[in-house]
Amino acid sequence: MEYTERLSNITVLGAAGKMGSGILLLSALEVADEMLKPGNRGKHFVVNAVDVTSSALPGLMKYIRAQVLKAAEKKTVQLRKIYAGRKELIENSEIIEAYIDDVMSIIRPGTRIEAAYDSTLIFEAVSENPGLKTRLFRQINENNPNQPWFFTNTSSVPIGSLNKEAELGGRILGFHFYNPPAVQKLVELITIGSNSSEMKQFALQLAKNMRKVVVPSNDIAGFIGNGHFMRDALYGIEQATALAKEMPLHEAIYAINRVSQDFLMRPMGIFQLIDYVGVDVVRFIMNVMNPYMREENLHSPLLDRLFGLSAKGGQYADGSQKDGFLKYDKGRPVAVFSPDKGDYIPVSGFDSKVDAMLGALPGSALTWKNLVKAPDKEAIAARAFADYKTMGTIGASMALQYARKSREIGMKLVSNGVAATAGDVNTVLLTGFFHAYGPINDFVV
């Protein structure tokens, strides 16, 4: 089955979710571009948008239309060539509207999984629940005569396990987008030994057409992205818990969050990143990964405690941040959750004290926003860490320890066979997590 034929009938499971909506958009754009090629005129194409939440589907279609408009506006010159045969389309606005209509015409929103029974390609973006994924795959596979390929967006569940449990015969691989899929350039590609060469080549071609950076990961729970993030997060939580022996826990959380953001020059502190992903999601992913870990325990009692107190983080439907470890006002942390008090403590009441304890940043340490734009960001980061080694302040010492731990985690991903190279680990953190420098470097040694 050639590339175009494989795209003739696609289903996106979990299409109205945070990840599914982006995958649906990218899939619909790619299918539409194939459909509009001269040799494919008259062929039938369908993209099924399947989600159990029927009330979310109208909003999903509104989102897709708005995003297709943005995509069309960026490639007006290309669209003029595509629609050159339609003489009635004169103005750019008319051509853009024609493209939107063509893209939207191939999308079929619905709640019934039966829509996938005719598909040749299944994108799965449901919750990170191995049992749910397996049941969906098995049901589709048993009722679909087309021997469909399954591209799962799982960020933690081993592909081989899903393949075995659902009895898919190697017709599944990991095609892990990063959030939000329409913006993030990274795709982790996780293949297994029973994948056909045709399937792997198709996946690479699809990622290329979607303008994604592909990093291969071996089929070990968590892969590269969560393999690093979950351990990095667990280290931050452990450091805050240890520091809480000397100060209130909410102050310790603030301190570690500031060190991991300002001193490490990252886009978010570790607790803000956990909130962004979701306290409940991070906890769940650790629980999914843990049974596959032999010599370590990916578990945090503090995450359990926050989850039990309903401080779960995540985002609202409009993308704004929900409260988790931190409380947010217009996206900025303004308070820290105290499990003992069951409430948020305003940062303004203790930040100056904790900041004084950490010590000042050296002039060589830039904000992430300034560092990531610098052409010599690696050299700038190296200077900052060189200064940390001579400062003797608590904050500088903690930053060095954190960066060294992050490097150690990355190196173990290579030595344990999750990543092929240190460069692959760095690419995932640079591209998927927007870090300004890779965790595996020489300047923190």
Side-chain angles (χ1 to χ4, degrees), residues 250 309 327 336-345:
H250 62 274
L309 293 168
K327 185 177 181 64
V336 182
F337 189 72
S338 169
D340 294 331
K341 297 184 178 181
D343 201 359
Y344 288 90
I345 311 299

Short mmCIF file of all heavy atoms in Angstrom, two decimals, residues 250 309 327 336-345:
data_model
loop_
_atom_site.label_atom_id
_atom_site.label_comp_id
_atom_site.label_asym_id
_atom_site.label_seq_id
_atom_site.Cartn_x
_atom_site.Cartn_y
_atom_site.Cartn_z
N HIS A 250 6.61 24.59 51.71
CA HIS A 250 6.25 25.51 50.62
C HIS A 250 7.43 26.41 50.25
O HIS A 250 7.60 26.78 49.09
CB HIS A 250 5.00 26.33 50.97
CG HIS A 250 5.14 27.22 52.15
ND1 HIS A 250 4.92 26.80 53.44
CD2 HIS A 250 5.47 28.54 52.24
CE1 HIS A 250 5.10 27.80 54.28
NE2 HIS A 250 5.44 28.87 53.57
N LEU A 309 -5.14 15.78 47.69
CA LEU A 309 -5.70 17.06 48.11
C LEU A 309 -6.24 17.86 46.92
O LEU A 309 -6.56 19.04 47.06
CB LEU A 309 -4.63 17.88 48.85
CG LEU A 309 -4.18 17.30 50.20
CD1 LEU A 309 -2.93 18.01 50.70
CD2 LEU A 309 -5.31 17.41 51.23
N LYS A 327 0.25 28.26 42.60
CA LYS A 327 -0.98 28.96 42.22
C LYS A 327 -0.61 30.03 41.21
O LYS A 327 0.43 30.70 41.36
CB LYS A 327 -1.64 29.60 43.45
CG LYS A 327 -3.00 30.25 43.16
CD LYS A 327 -3.61 30.80 44.43
CE LYS A 327 -4.97 31.43 44.16
NZ LYS A 327 -5.94 30.44 43.70
N VAL A 336 2.45 29.16 46.71
CA VAL A 336 2.89 27.77 46.74
C VAL A 336 1.97 26.98 47.66
O VAL A 336 1.61 27.45 48.75
CB VAL A 336 4.34 27.65 47.23
CG1 VAL A 336 4.81 26.19 47.20
CG2 VAL A 336 5.27 28.52 46.39
N PHE A 337 1.61 25.79 47.23
CA PHE A 337 0.69 24.96 48.01
C PHE A 337 1.38 24.39 49.24
O PHE A 337 2.51 23.88 49.15
CB PHE A 337 0.14 23.82 47.16
CG PHE A 337 -0.98 23.06 47.81
CD1 PHE A 337 -2.23 23.63 47.96
CD2 PHE A 337 -0.78 21.78 48.30
CE1 PHE A 337 -3.28 22.94 48.55
CE2 PHE A 337 -1.80 21.07 48.89
CZ PHE A 337 -3.06 21.66 49.02
N SER A 338 0.72 24.47 50.38
CA SER A 338 1.20 23.86 51.61
C SER A 338 0.31 22.66 51.93
O SER A 338 -0.85 22.85 52.31
CB SER A 338 1.17 24.86 52.77
OG SER A 338 1.38 24.19 54.00
N PRO A 339 0.81 21.43 51.77
CA PRO A 339 -0.02 20.26 52.08
C PRO A 339 -0.47 20.23 53.53
O PRO A 339 -1.56 19.74 53.83
CB PRO A 339 0.92 19.09 51.76
CG PRO A 339 1.92 19.63 50.80
CD PRO A 339 2.13 21.05 51.22
N ASP A 340 0.37 20.75 54.42
CA ASP A 340 0.02 20.75 55.84
C ASP A 340 -1.19 21.65 56.13
O ASP A 340 -2.06 21.30 56.93
CB ASP A 340 1.20 21.21 56.68
CG ASP A 340 2.36 20.22 56.64
OD1 ASP A 340 2.09 19.02 56.46
OD2 ASP A 340 3.52 20.66 56.76
N LYS A 341 -1.24 22.78 55.46
CA LYS A 341 -2.34 23.72 55.67
C LYS A 341 -3.48 23.52 54.67
O LYS A 341 -4.57 24.06 54.86
CB LYS A 341 -1.82 25.16 55.58
CG LYS A 341 -0.80 25.50 56.67
CD LYS A 341 -0.39 26.96 56.60
CE LYS A 341 0.60 27.29 57.72
NZ LYS A 341 1.02 28.71 57.71
N GLY A 342 -3.21 22.76 53.60
CA GLY A 342 -4.23 22.53 52.60
C GLY A 342 -4.62 23.79 51.86
O GLY A 342 -5.74 23.90 51.36
N ASP A 343 -3.69 24.73 51.75
CA ASP A 343 -3.98 26.00 51.11
C ASP A 343 -2.70 26.57 50.50
O ASP A 343 -1.59 26.07 50.75
CB ASP A 343 -4.56 26.98 52.13
CG ASP A 343 -5.36 28.10 51.47
OD1 ASP A 343 -5.43 28.12 50.22
OD2 ASP A 343 -5.90 28.95 52.20
N TYR A 344 -2.86 27.62 49.71
CA TYR A 344 -1.72 28.26 49.06
C TYR A 344 -1.18 29.40 49.90
O TYR A 344 -1.94 30.21 50.46
CB TYR A 344 -2.12 28.77 47.67
CG TYR A 344 -2.33 27.64 46.69
CD1 TYR A 344 -3.58 27.05 46.53
CD2 TYR A 344 -1.27 27.15 45.93
CE1 TYR A 344 -3.77 26.00 45.64
CE2 TYR A 344 -1.45 26.10 45.04
CZ TYR A 344 -2.70 25.52 44.90
OH TYR A 344 -2.87 24.48 44.03
N ILE A 345 0.14 29.47 50.00
CA ILE A 345 0.83 30.52 50.76
C ILE A 345 1.41 31.51 49.76
O ILE A 345 2.21 31.13 48.90
CB ILE A 345 1.96 29.93 51.62
CG1 ILE A 345 1.48 28.73 52.44
CG2 ILE A 345 2.57 31.01 52.51
CD1 ILE A 345 0.37 29.04 53.41
#
